[in-house]
Amino acid sequence: MSNMRWDFLPKYLPYFNDGLIFTLIIALFVVVFGTIIGVLVAVGKMSKIAPLRWILNAYVEIFRDTPMLIQITIGYVILGAANWPSIHIGILSNDLGRLIPGIIVISLNSGAYMAEIVRGGIEAVPVGQREAAYSLGIRPIPTMFKVILPQAFRNILPAIGNEFITIVKDSSLLSTIGIMELYNGGQTVLNLVYQPLSPLLLAALYYFVVCFALSRLQALLEKKLGKGYAK
């Protein structure tokens, strides 16, 4: 601890700032795609088509019961592509041939968890809502997407917030396939300045500040939704 120095900050701070931007962009894409996948899978698992239910149940179990790190590695081997263009943010860049497979795999992982969250939200909607829609002549699929899901989303918004916070942290696993995000930015600085602790502590501080701020925003959202129910 006595050898821990921070004199690298002025020169290497962009690795952390730009890495954080990449991390948040990845997390935003993943939570959007993961939520869409989760909705479709949840609705499909409630279908009367048995083979569809079996396939979707297998998908959920596979992604929930295997480590994300292995999923990312396998996904990169299968989906990774060479000679793709790169996108740049400040001093960092990411090859789309790595970034896109990484986002796809984490989105599929997130979708498996979101499917169960969405299913719980759907089941929390009173059965009378569905029956009322049917009595008005609305068919089952429009009823699900126009009546049930909008109400279910109110129940699951806090869970989506939790998933976003989780993805912000779990996106660090993409460093294993060479994605430059916050953790990999800190790791790069560690290798440049030969300081084994300071860069990782700073990266941890970045994660803490972002996730703490997101959790506070989520708490405010839950409070506001609670007041909406009280009305």
Side-chain angles (χ1 to χ4, degrees):
M1 293 291 289
S2 60
N3 295 325
M4 190 167 59
R5 304 195 326 266
W6 300 95
D7 54 348
F8 64 86
L9 279 178
K11 182 177 180 181
Y12 294 105
L13 198 59
Y15 282 88
F16 299 92
N17 295 337
D18 299 340
L20 176 61
I21 294 173
F22 264 120
T23 290
L24 293 176
I25 290 174
I26 291 168
L28 183 60
F29 273 108
V30 169
V31 79
V32 170
F33 293 147
T35 301
I36 293 172
I37 293 169
V39 169
L40 295 177
V41 171
V43 173
K45 288 180 66 176
M46 301 174 74
S47 166
K48 296 181 180 179
I49 305 173
L52 177 61
R53 295 200 308 271
W54 298 337
I55 292 171
L56 294 178
N57 281 324
Y59 153 72
V60 170
E61 293 302 324
I62 289 171
F63 275 91
R64 291 185 63 178
D65 297 333
T66 57
M68 189 189 296
L69 183 59
I70 294 178
Q71 297 168 14
I72 290 171
T73 305
I74 293 174
Y76 174 63
V77 171
I78 295 174
L79 301 173
N83 301 319
W84 279 42
S86 298
I87 57 174
H88 302 264
I89 295 179
I91 64 172
L92 300 183
S93 66
N94 275 307
D95 178 3
L96 289 176
R98 297 174 183 268
L99 185 60
I100 291 176
I103 290 176
I104 289 173
V105 172
I106 299 185
S107 297
L108 288 171
N109 180 281
S110 176
Y113 285 91
M114 286 302 303
E116 297 303 301
I117 294 171
V118 173
R119 183 181 60 82
I122 291 173
E123 292 178 349
V125 176
V127 178
Q129 297 290 321
R130 193 189 308 264
E131 294 173 348
Y134 291 166
S135 68
L136 293 173
I138 304 175
R139 298 184 64 82
I141 292 179
T143 294
M144 176 61 70
F145 286 95
K146 294 182 179 181
V147 178
I148 305 301
L149 281 176
Q151 297 181 67
F153 263 97
R154 182 163 186 159
N155 297 327
I156 67 174
L157 273 177
I160 295 175
N162 278 333
E163 185 68 7
F164 185 76
I165 294 170
T166 299
I167 292 166
V168 167
K169 295 179 289 184
D170 287 349
S171 63
S172 61
L173 295 173
L174 292 177
S175 63
T176 59
I177 59 172
I179 300 300
M180 291 299 298
E181 35 64 62
L182 177 55
Y183 169 74
N184 211 359
Q187 190 71 33
T188 300
V189 174
L190 183 154
N191 295 327
L192 290 172
V193 302
Y194 305 106
Q195 284 290 309
L197 188 57
S198 306
L200 294 182
L201 285 176
L202 184 58
L205 178 62
Y206 270 68
Y207 281 113
F208 173 79
V209 170
V210 170
C211 293
F212 181 80
L214 289 173
S215 66
R216 294 303 93 199
L217 287 173
Q218 180 185 341
L220 290 174
L221 176 61
E222 290 182 22
K223 186 176 181 180
K224 184 175 181 180
L225 289 176
K227 288 182 177 179
Y229 280 126
K231 292 179 183 179

